[in-house]
Amino acid sequence: MNKEKSLRWSFFFVGLLVLSFGISLTIKGKDLGIGPWDVFHYGLFKQLGLTIGTWSIIVGFIILFVTGVGTRSFPKAGAFINMLLIGIFIDVFNFILPDPHSLVAQTIMFAIGIVVIGYGIGLYVSADLGAGPRDSLMLLVVEKTGWKVQWVRNGMEIIVFFFGWLLGGPVGIGTVIIALGLGSIVGFSLPQSKKLLHFLIARQMTKRDNPLAS
């Protein structure tokens, strides 16, 4: 594996780790509400057992299957890795992180979690190794219908939010904040992550071409 590929995979894995950490932080502040997809996963966990991470993997697998049938192609390896690792990491962080016992502590964890999620998305997307299951489905719907990306994305989140709410998932002002505000954070984090990745790739190429370069 060449240096550029190694750097891309590093950004991908670190991004998934950071993203999962952020999701777990918002789950710990769940009295404020959590993201639409996490409301759905939490509702499934509440009604059917297993763990939130396990439901994230199961739902992701179903989405990958549907997307694969719709595109008549096998999903990229990055999509499977995304699906598995985020679910595993969420459960690990949910186990490790303490449960806040005051609204102030929950608010702090939730606020930090949103920013961390945004930068986790920026890191893993900048690697350009394949979209996650939910983003893959969004792109499929856009391709088949010709609808705008934001309409499809918002529509998907409203649908899963509604079913998660019916299942008893935690809904609150935080859910609205994530749905409306996360994109703005990614708007900053993604260009920054791409710039850092390209800088590191260029630096590796310089070292390869000139071993004496510092």
Side-chain angles (χ1 to χ4, degrees):
M1 183 182 292
N2 61 38
K3 293 292 186 179
E4 178 179 343
K5 206 69 173 178
S6 297
L7 281 170
R8 289 188 181 278
W9 278 109
S10 296
F11 267 59
F12 184 79
F13 284 118
V14 171
L16 295 183
L17 186 67
V18 172
L19 171 59
S20 304
F21 180 59
I23 291 173
S24 292
L25 283 171
T26 61
I27 290 174
K28 292 298 180 177
K30 63 182 179 296
D31 284 353
L32 297 169
I34 54 181
W37 280 101
D38 298 315
V39 170
F40 184 53
H41 300 149
Y42 195 100
L44 290 169
F45 150 71
K46 188 174 180 180
Q47 297 298 326
L48 302 174
L50 299 179
T51 65
I52 299 171
T54 300
W55 281 114
S56 176
I57 293 172
I58 292 171
V59 172
F61 181 82
I62 293 171
I63 292 173
L64 279 182
F65 177 78
V66 172
T67 305
V69 171
T71 60
R72 298 182 181 179
S73 63
F74 197 75
K76 291 183 179 181
F80 282 104
I81 295 172
N82 179 303
M83 172 191 72
L84 290 171
L85 290 187
I86 287 181
I88 292 170
F89 289 155
I90 287 173
D91 282 345
V92 170
F93 285 127
N94 281 345
F95 178 76
I96 293 174
L97 290 171
D99 292 316
H101 297 295
S102 69
L103 183 59
V104 172
Q106 288 198 35
T107 301
I108 292 172
M109 293 183 78
F110 181 85
I112 294 172
I114 295 176
V115 177
V116 172
I117 289 172
Y119 274 86
I121 293 172
L123 285 167
Y124 106 78
V125 171
S126 70
D128 195 24
L129 293 173
R134 293 148 189 84
D135 291 331
S136 297
L137 178 60
M138 176 191 69
L139 295 174
L140 172 63
V141 174
V142 169
E143 179 185 342
K144 296 296 184 181
T145 63
W147 298 339
K148 292 184 178 181
V149 171
Q150 60 265 36
W151 294 354
V152 175
R153 180 62 178 263
N154 290 341
M156 287 173 57
E157 300 220 339
I158 289 171
I159 291 170
V160 296
F161 158 77
F162 177 71
F163 282 107
W165 174 70
L166 290 178
L167 290 168
V171 174
I173 185 62
T175 308
V176 178
I177 292 173
I178 291 177
L180 299 180
L182 185 58
S184 298
I185 299 174
V186 176
F188 284 102
S189 68
L190 183 54
Q192 291 173 354
S193 298
K194 285 183 176 180
K195 185 177 181 179
L196 176 60
L197 177 59
H198 293 159
F199 168 77
L200 293 174
I201 290 172
R203 187 177 180 183
Q204 287 293 341
M205 291 178 66
T206 300
K207 286 184 176 181
R208 183 192 64 188
D209 296 336
N210 183 9
L212 297 179
S214 57

